[in-house]
Amino acid sequence: MSLQTALPFALPAADNKTPVIVRPLLDFDKRTLYSICKAGGIEWFEDASNSDTRFKRNMLRQIIREADDDDRSPFNASSLLKVRKAMQGHREVIDRGLASLLDKHATVRADLGVVELAAETDGQQLPRWASNPAVRERALASVVGWVNCKDHPPELAHLRQFEQLIVSFYKARKAGASIAQTSVSTAGVTMLPPTVRHGWLFCRQRPRANEIQITKDLALGATALWDGRLLICVQAKPGRSIPEAVTWRVYSQDAAMHKWADQLLEHRRVCRKTHRPADMHQAVLAVQPIISVKPVPDAQPTLAFAFGSVCAETLAATDLDISVRAVRGTDLVARN
């Protein structure tokens, strides 16, 4: 029996360009595969490193192979599969509880790629999602993983940095003291402590210079995966007739500032009157996409969308629909 998780298909990337990976052989153990290949006259390649017991995974495989002939051994494949099944059931229960907890205490802004976790009103007690260390760790792992959109879960060392600030923040508040550290940036995520205007904010860590490339010219109706975390689409509003020559691009804030500094500052001033205070935190603004529109091929691009809203008195304001959404949707925890 195979000890690997039965996952025959890998999901395609959000950009629809990465091919789907089909894995139909995960439920076959090696002896069965050998038999199939021999019977069909199929050549196979044996990776020499798979028998090198200096690697822990190979050492464990050898122990399992040797124990597989002993029905009483707790290390044979059948016994380990039962343990795996029980652990999977336990994890599903925990995930359902965590999802319910985050539904109550987390606000997901899929259009900004930002998560806000609630803070206690008195500012001195750990909030419910953070009061239990094990639950706090799982909650932070879910939030950080959602924000940074990495293919792997965050490392424990990174989670500990977030936890350290959270715990020290409430200890200092309870003692009437101030804390020296005001934010944590690690694992591609920045966490900001609560204020009177917002709770704990989690957003993408400010990118390094030239880390996010300007997109090529895109046609109306196209969808771009920007920064590996946001899906952006620009299209004509229903009933509007827009020339096919219209194209659009996406910039990082740093790149856009070189072209439209004055317009961006004015647009930000306007946004302050309509957006929530948490949306307007500088750390959040710094990682938002800036979109320009070019009406004809030889024209200069004009600013169309910044800081989560369409710029007034532009083609985008009258004739275009611009949507921005997180590639991971709105669920912080996968729901089975």
Side-chain angles (χ1 to χ4, degrees):
M1 276 184 281
S2 171
L3 287 174
Q4 299 191 64
T5 302
L7 182 65
F9 299 102
L11 294 176
D15 58 6
N16 292 320
K17 294 180 181 179
T18 304
V20 177
I21 301 172
V22 182
R23 309 170 72 194
L25 302 178
L26 287 184
D27 281 337
F28 293 85
D29 62 27
K30 185 169 283 190
R31 281 180 292 189
T32 301
L33 291 175
Y34 280 146
S35 299
I36 293 173
C37 290
K38 290 175 181 177
I42 302 170
E43 283 192 59
W44 70 86
F45 173 77
E46 195 77 43
D47 186 347
S49 68
N50 284 340
S51 59
D52 189 344
T53 54
R54 290 177 299 176
F55 299 105
K56 288 184 178 179
R57 66 177 184 275
N58 294 330
M59 186 185 302
L60 289 171
R61 287 170 182 164
Q62 181 172 314
I63 292 172
I64 294 169
R65 278 197 301 270
E66 293 173 352
D68 225 15
D69 295 327
D70 184 357
D71 293 337
R72 299 171 300 172
S73 174
F75 298 112
N76 63 39
S78 178
S79 298
L80 293 177
L81 281 170
K82 292 177 182 177
V83 174
R84 187 196 71 173
K85 184 177 181 179
M87 291 177 67
Q88 182 63 29
H90 181 63
R91 180 174 182 173
E92 289 173 0
V93 171
I94 292 174
D95 283 347
R96 285 196 295 270
L98 181 63
S100 177
L101 184 70
L102 291 176
D103 282 345
K104 297 176 182 177
H105 298 278
T107 301
V108 177
R109 288 297 306 271
D111 56 331
L112 300 174
V114 173
V115 177
E116 180 179 346
L117 286 177
E120 287 298 322
T121 54
D122 65 3
Q124 296 184 8
Q125 301 294 327
L126 284 166
R128 186 178 174 190
W129 59 266
S131 57
N132 180 290
V135 174
R136 180 172 66 231
E137 180 183 299
R138 293 296 297 271
L140 287 172
S142 297
V143 171
V144 171
W146 186 92
V147 173
N148 69 17
C149 290
K150 302 293 186 185
D151 294 330
H152 51 80
E155 296 178 14
L156 281 176
H158 295 152
L159 295 179
R160 294 290 180 265
Q161 293 184 52
F162 294 118
E163 288 188 87
Q164 184 176 3
L165 175 57
I166 292 168
V167 173
S168 62
F169 175 87
Y170 287 104
K171 282 184 177 179
R173 282 292 183 89
K174 195 169 185 178
S178 59
I179 57 172
Q181 189 176 14
T182 57
S183 66
V184 169
S185 292
T186 188
V189 174
T190 292
M191 181 185 75
L192 301 155
T195 69
V196 294
R197 300 190 297 178
H198 61 73
W200 292 90
L201 283 182
F202 296 79
C203 64
R204 195 249 203 243
Q205 188 172 348
R206 189 181 183 104
R208 300 182 298 275
N210 301 319
E211 181 180 348
I212 303 177
Q213 299 299 313
I214 302 170
T215 64
K216 63 181 181 180
D217 288 337
L218 298 164
L220 292 182
T223 298
L225 176 62
W226 183 77
D227 193 27
R229 60 192 179 90
L230 296 176
L231 290 169
I232 303 173
C233 180
V234 178
Q235 56 189 343
K237 289 183 177 179
R240 296 287 187 175
S241 178
I242 306 295
E244 292 184 1
V246 173
T247 58
W248 55 282
R249 285 187 176 189
V250 189
Y251 300 74
S252 66
Q253 180 179 282
D254 289 342
M257 275 292 183
H258 290 297
K259 299 178 70 69
W260 302 288
D262 292 340
Q263 295 97 315
L264 284 170
L265 292 174
E266 174 61 19
H267 183 59
R268 179 178 175 182
R269 185 186 66 78
V270 173
C271 288
R272 285 186 179 278
K273 298 179 181 180
T274 57
H275 286 199
R276 293 194 320 146
D279 299 349
M280 298 308 297
H281 195 288
Q282 179 55 40
V284 175
L285 296 180
V287 295
Q288 296 307 307
I290 310 294
I291 301 172
S292 72
V293 171
K294 187 189 294 186
V296 293
D298 295 331
Q300 289 295 317
T302 58
L303 192 65
F305 181 95
F307 310 137
S309 66
V310 172
C311 300
E313 300 179 4
T314 65
L315 179 68
T318 57
D319 296 325
L320 299 178
D321 273 332
I322 299 178
S323 66
V324 180
R325 67 186 191 277
V327 70
R328 293 201 173 184
T330 57
D331 288 336
L332 297 175
V333 181
R335 298 172 190 268
N336 298 313

